[in-house]
Amino acid sequence: MEVQEILKTNSIANRFISQLRDTGIQKDRMRFRRNIERLGEIMSYELSKELEYEKMEITTPLGRSVVPEPKNEIVICSILRAGLPLHQGILNYFDDAENSFISAYRHHPNNDEKFEILVEYLASPSLEGKTLILADPMLATGRSFVNVLKALEPMGKPAKIHLVSVIGSDEGVKYLKTEFPENSKLWIATIDHELDKNGYIVPGLGDAGDLCYGNKMQH
């Protein structure tokens, strides 16, 4: 699996990541969601350079023009709930894509730091021969992405898989490289080096779902 880390080259994306991490700025939920959405747009633009294109002839008010247009059939699959603003950023650029939604959450059966990833909801079109974009802003252990990929297997085999994430960990990225097929590529804004004992990215930014939509009750 190939990895493209956006912040290895300085760009306006640096500012959006900075604001997502900042404990003062991130309290503004609307800005937090919008910054994730913006990063989804930036990574979609970069991702679009690797799609397949075909020439299309269009009529302008003054003549004819030939423009290469992407021909891939795209399905965007986001992991609820933190994936929603990232999903919207991707959908802003691939506005004719099909959409898939899946739940994947951390379940602590013994009420301690040990957890398992549970997938309980899935709504998806066929993925057979299509370009699948998996969206989740936080790539911590990588287990959510892997469990989601397994849950999607009955939907068909994609021709290409793109994973889109905002912040990840070295450990999570290494794990994905062992579990995802060769026709996969990870697009990620930046990668941190540590996970704490609870499986959260350090320095990271906290719980993206809570920062987007408010604190949840534990169960």
Side-chain angles (χ1 to χ4, degrees), residues 41-212:
E41 293 172 346
I42 289 170
M43 288 185 280
S44 294
Y45 171 75
E46 295 297 330
L47 186 160
S48 72
K49 298 175 184 178
E50 300 199 0
L51 299 178
E52 298 177 11
Y53 287 78
E54 59 183 350
K55 292 181 179 180
M56 304 291 291
E57 188 174 271
I58 59 174
T59 301
T60 79
L62 299 176
R64 308 282 290 177
S65 177
V66 175
V67 181
E69 289 264 11
K71 66 177 185 178
N72 304 67
E73 291 184 86
I74 294 174
V75 179
I76 307 167
C77 178
S78 66
I79 301 176
L80 302 174
R81 61 182 168 151
L84 290 175
L86 186 59
H87 186 108
Q88 186 59 54
I90 300 168
L91 190 59
N92 288 346
Y93 275 40
F94 302 119
D95 48 28
D96 58 350
E98 295 180 283
N99 295 265
S100 176
F101 297 93
I102 191 166
S103 70
Y105 69 94
R106 296 183 178 199
H107 175 59
H108 298 262
N110 300 316
N111 294 317
D112 56 20
E113 68 270 10
K114 295 181 180 180
F115 64 89
E116 57 188 356
I117 302 295
L118 296 184
V119 174
E120 293 187 343
Y121 172 83
L122 170 63
S124 177
S126 169
L127 304 177
E128 189 65 37
K130 298 177 183 177
T131 298
L132 173 63
I133 301 177
L134 290 177
D136 191 5
M138 305 303 289
L139 196 179
T141 65
R143 285 154 56 187
S144 291
F145 271 127
V146 170
N147 284 15
V148 165
L149 181 66
K150 291 177 180 177
L152 289 170
E153 286 178 355
M155 305 301 157
K157 185 177 181 180
K160 179 76 176 183
I161 302 173
H162 295 279
L163 298 90
V164 178
S165 193
V166 174
I167 297 178
S169 72
D170 283 331
E171 181 180 323
V173 172
K174 289 176 183 177
Y175 179 58
L176 292 188
K177 286 181 177 180
T178 67
E179 297 295 322
F180 268 74
E182 290 185 3
N183 66 335
S184 306
K185 183 166 183 176
L186 170 64
W187 303 84
I188 190 164
T190 191
I191 300 171
D192 291 343
H193 298 303
E194 297 180 40
L195 286 178
D196 67 14
K197 66 178 183 178
N198 297 313
Y200 284 98
I201 302 167
V202 179
L205 51 74
D207 189 305
D210 287 354
L211 289 164
C212 282

